[in-house]
Amino acid sequence: LRAGRGLRRLLAVHSGLVYVFLYAPIVILVVFSFNAARQTAFWQGFTLDWYRRLLDNDPLLRAVRNSLVVAGATTAAAVALGTPAALALARLGFRGKRATRTLLYLPVIIPEVVLGAALLTFFGAVEMRLSLWTVVIAHVVFSVSYVARWCGRGSRGSTQPWKRRRATWGPAPSRPSGGSPCRSPCRGSWPAPCSSSPSRSTTT
Amino acid sequence: MFASALMTPPPRKTARTPFSLLLPTWLVLGIFFLVPLVLMLGVSFAQRGVYGGLKPITDVAEHVRSGAFFSNYARSFQGIYLKIGWRSLWMALATTVLCVLVSFPIAYYLALLAPRRWKGMLLGLVVVPFWTSFLIRTYAWMFILRTEGLLNLALLGSGLVHHPVELLYTQTAVMIGLVYGELPFMILPLYASLEKLDRSLLEAASDLGAGQAQVFRRVTLPLTLPGLAAGAVLVFVPSLGQFVVSDLLGGARSMLLGNLIQNQFAVARNKPFGAALAFELTAAVLLLLLGYAALAKRRGAEELL
C-alpha cells in the first residue's frame, strides 16, 4: 500500500503513544506498590512491606474473599442457567426467538446504574436484605445474557475479527436482517466470552 | 423495543419453543430484571414519604389529575438537574469525538500498515488492559493526576509549569478517565471496518490521480463509516450512564447523570426522583439504539451484536 514513509512513521508513533496511554496506569500502579513511600509519587526505595501488610489486613482479606465468592457464584449460576438458552438460540428456530434475543440484549445495554437502582427498589419491595447474594443476583442478570448470547455462536458479527472461526456448535441459523440493536462487538466477546465479568464489573 | 419484538410474527419455519432450555434464563431475567424495572417505573410516579420511603397514594385519580404523578419527571428538567443532564450529554459526546480522533490513526495503522507478524499481538494488546478491573485502573489515574501525583512531578520537573496543575477532581480528569475506559470500544470496530477495506480500491484511487488526502476523504472514510458508527454508539451509550469515573476522578462540578441517580438512591433517599431519572436515561439509550438499528438496517451499518 502506498502510504508515505513519513505518514507511516507518524501513525506508528501515534500507535505507540496509545499503547503507553493504555498501559501506563497499570504499570505505574504495579511499580509503586513496591515503593517505600507512603503518600508521594517520589520513589523512596523498594519494599515488599505493603504486601506483608496486605496479608495482615483482615478487612481487606475479607473483601478479597467476597470478590472471589461473588465471581465464583456468578460464573457458576450464569453458566448453568444461560447455557441451555445459548444452545436453544444457536441451534433451534422457534417461536419467541426474537423476543428472547431482545430480552437478552436489554440487561447489557441498560446502564448499570439503572439496573442497580431497579434491583435496589425490587429488593426493598420484597424485603430482601442486601447481602453478597443480592450482589451475586445483580451480576447474574447481565452475565446470563452474555452466556446465552455468546456461548452458542462463534462467528456472526463481522465486527469481531477474532471470531471468524465457525461456532463450536456448528453454524448457527441465519438471523433475520438488521436484528435488534445492542452494545458490544467487544464487550463480552473477548477471548473468553463465557467468563462472568466483562470488564465493567466494579464489585470485584 | 421489547414489546415490538414480542408482537412481530415469528418466522415461518418454527419449531415448538424449547421451554426446558429457555425457562431458566427467562425466569432469571423476568424476576430479577423485568419485574424490578416495572416496579421502578411505578415508583417513579410516586412521591417521597417522610422517612425516605414512598408517600402512600390514597386517591389514584387525584394523584393523576393534580399532576403529582409527573412531578419527578418535571423536576428533572429544572435548574441543576437539567444542567447535569446537559453535562452528561456533552461529556459523552466529547468522549466519543476524542475516542474517534485517537482511535482512527491506530486502527488504520493496525489494519493496513502494521507488519503482518505483529498484527495479532498488537490487536490483543488493545484488549488486555481491560482484563484488569476498571475500578483499579481508574484508581491508578487518581494516583497519576493528583496535585502531587506523577504527572505534576513530571511537568514540574521538565520546567513546563512552575506550580502544580490541579487535575484531579476536574472535568478534565473525568474526560481522561472516560476516554481511557472507552477507547478499545472504538478501536476494535474501526479496525474491523478498516481490515475489510478492499485495498485495491485505495490503489485504484491513487492510480487515477487522487492524492493521499483525497483517497482518505473519498474512499477510506466513506467505507469505514459503518465501523465508525458502531464505535460511536458503543462509546457514547456507556459514557452517558457512567458514574464510577466521575465519582472517583470528578469533583462536585463534574457530577453526571449516573452519579445523580446513584445519589438519589444511596444518599438523598429520594427513590421516586431517582427512578424517574433512571428511566429518562434508559429512554435516551434505547432511543439512540433504536435509531442506530434503523440506520443499520437501511444503510447496512455494522450490527452491534
Side-chain angles (χ1 to χ4, degrees):
Chain A
L1 192 73
R2 258 181 266 168
R5 254 200 123 76
L7 182 68
R8 187 183 283 250
R9 193 160 297 162
L10 200 69
L11 289 174
V13 169
H14 173 87
S15 304
L17 288 176
V18 172
Y19 284 111
V20 170
F21 178 60
L22 287 178
Y23 280 89
I26 300 168
V27 172
I28 287 169
L29 204 70
V30 173
V31 168
F32 276 84
S33 72
F34 297 109
N35 186 7
R38 188 186 171 81
Q39 274 291 336
T40 62
F42 285 110
W43 183 260
Q44 293 187 354
F46 179 90
T47 180
L48 286 173
D49 198 40
W50 303 118
Y51 290 90
R52 194 179 52 74
R53 288 212 207 171
L54 182 71
L55 294 177
D56 290 337
N57 190 328
D58 282 334
L60 251 172
L61 290 179
R62 223 171 308 133
V64 172
R65 209 204 56 188
N66 286 347
S67 287
L68 289 174
V69 167
V70 170
T74 302
T75 309
V79 169
L81 295 166
T83 307
L87 198 67
L89 285 172
R91 280 199 159 172
L92 308 170
F94 55 88
R95 185 182 283 272
K97 189 167 180 172
R98 271 186 76 170
T100 305
R101 281 214 166 141
T102 310
L103 177 65
L104 285 169
Y105 286 132
L106 288 175
V108 184
I109 55 168
I110 278 185
E112 276 161 45
V113 66
V114 175
L115 180 62
L119 276 170
L120 190 65
T121 311
F122 174 76
F123 291 138
V126 299
E127 291 180 0
M128 204 163 150
R129 250 189 59 221
L130 298 182
S131 68
L132 267 195
W133 300 111
T134 50
V135 175
V136 170
I137 288 173
H139 278 77
V140 168
V141 167
F142 66 79
S143 301
V144 84
S145 289
Y146 280 116
V147 173
R149 297 276 321 159
W150 278 285
C151 284
R153 34 176 275 200
S155 80
R156 188 75 67 67
S158 48
T159 39
Q160 296 138 4
W162 55 87
K163 282 172 65 190
R164 294 244 168 85
R165 273 165 288 130
R166 266 282 154 227
T168 335
W169 294 339
S174 66
R175 186 154 43 127
S177 62
S180 314
C182 181
R183 148 186 179 189
S184 198
C186 352
R187 272 162 230 262
S189 65
W190 297 342
C194 295
S195 81
S196 72
S197 57
S199 91
R200 299 218 151 229
S201 148
T202 44
T203 42
T204 44
Chain B
M1 181 164 66
F2 178 58
S4 73
L6 266 180
M7 282 168 212
T8 39
R12 278 276 157 256
K13 44 159 199 167
T14 45
R16 259 179 337 112
T17 312
F19 282 108
S20 53
L21 295 176
L22 294 168
L23 215 55
T25 300
W26 280 355
L27 280 179
V28 169
L29 293 184
I31 298 173
F32 294 116
F33 182 65
L34 294 181
V35 169
L37 278 182
V38 172
L39 206 67
M40 191 165 70
L41 185 63
V43 167
S44 76
F45 295 117
Q47 276 174 326
R48 180 165 77 148
V50 200
Y51 301 109
L54 300 184
K55 198 160 123 190
I57 297 167
T58 40
D59 184 353
V60 175
E62 176 54 31
H63 187 66
V64 172
R65 206 172 326 113
S66 68
F69 77 103
F70 201 67
S71 63
N72 292 313
Y73 289 93
R75 184 173 166 216
S76 71
F77 285 101
Q78 282 165 9
I80 180 76
Y81 305 117
L82 187 65
K83 212 170 142 190
I84 291 173
W86 278 121
R87 184 189 296 142
S88 298
L89 215 60
W90 176 85
M91 293 280 268
L93 207 64
T95 306
T96 312
V97 171
L98 281 173
C99 278
V100 171
L101 293 179
V102 174
S103 300
F104 211 104
I106 181 175
Y108 190 91
Y109 179 79
L110 289 178
L112 297 170
L113 300 174
R116 185 154 299 183
R117 266 184 313 149
W118 297 101
K119 226 175 179 175
M121 200 194 72
L122 286 173
L123 195 65
L125 280 177
V126 173
V127 180
V128 167
F130 295 83
W131 283 78
T132 57
S133 160
F134 183 62
L135 197 61
I136 289 171
R137 283 179 287 123
T138 309
Y139 271 119
W141 277 108
M142 292 177 83
F143 185 76
I144 296 170
L145 296 174
R146 271 190 332 207
T147 311
E148 64 280 12
L150 272 187
L151 194 61
N152 264 317
L153 282 184
L155 286 174
L156 287 169
S158 66
L160 278 174
V161 296
H162 298 290
H163 303 285
V165 189
E166 233 171 90
L167 289 164
L168 191 56
Y169 309 128
T170 63
Q171 285 202 29
T172 315
V174 177
M175 206 69 241
I176 292 173
L178 284 172
V179 171
Y180 181 80
E182 304 297 341
L183 204 54
F185 302 115
M186 183 63 86
I187 295 179
L188 294 174
L190 271 180
Y191 170 85
S193 230
L194 284 160
E195 165 86 335
K196 276 189 306 195
L197 196 69
D198 187 350
R199 287 155 194 241
S200 56
L201 289 178
L202 303 184
E203 277 159 26
S206 73
D207 283 346
L208 293 170
Q212 267 183 25
Q214 226 176 348
V215 172
F216 181 80
R217 198 166 50 81
R218 300 188 53 176
V219 182
T220 314
L221 197 58
L223 287 174
T224 44
L225 273 184
L228 206 64
V233 171
L234 289 175
V235 170
F236 186 83
V237 166
S239 303
L240 200 59
Q242 182 59 257
F243 66 102
V244 179
V245 171
S246 40
D247 199 36
L248 294 180
L249 303 179
R253 268 171 301 168
S254 41
M255 192 188 225
L256 300 181
L257 202 50
N259 307 91
L260 185 59
I261 294 170
Q262 192 206 14
N263 250 326
Q264 294 308 315
F265 279 89
V267 185
R269 298 209 153 261
N270 190 345
K271 280 189 189 179
F273 185 49
L277 290 167
F279 269 98
E280 283 166 4
L281 177 60
T282 308
V285 166
L286 289 184
L287 273 178
L288 196 81
L289 288 166
L290 283 176
Y292 178 81
L295 194 77
K297 205 167 186 174
R298 259 218 335 259
R299 306 281 303 268
E302 301 272 341
E303 277 185 40
L304 294 185
L305 216 118

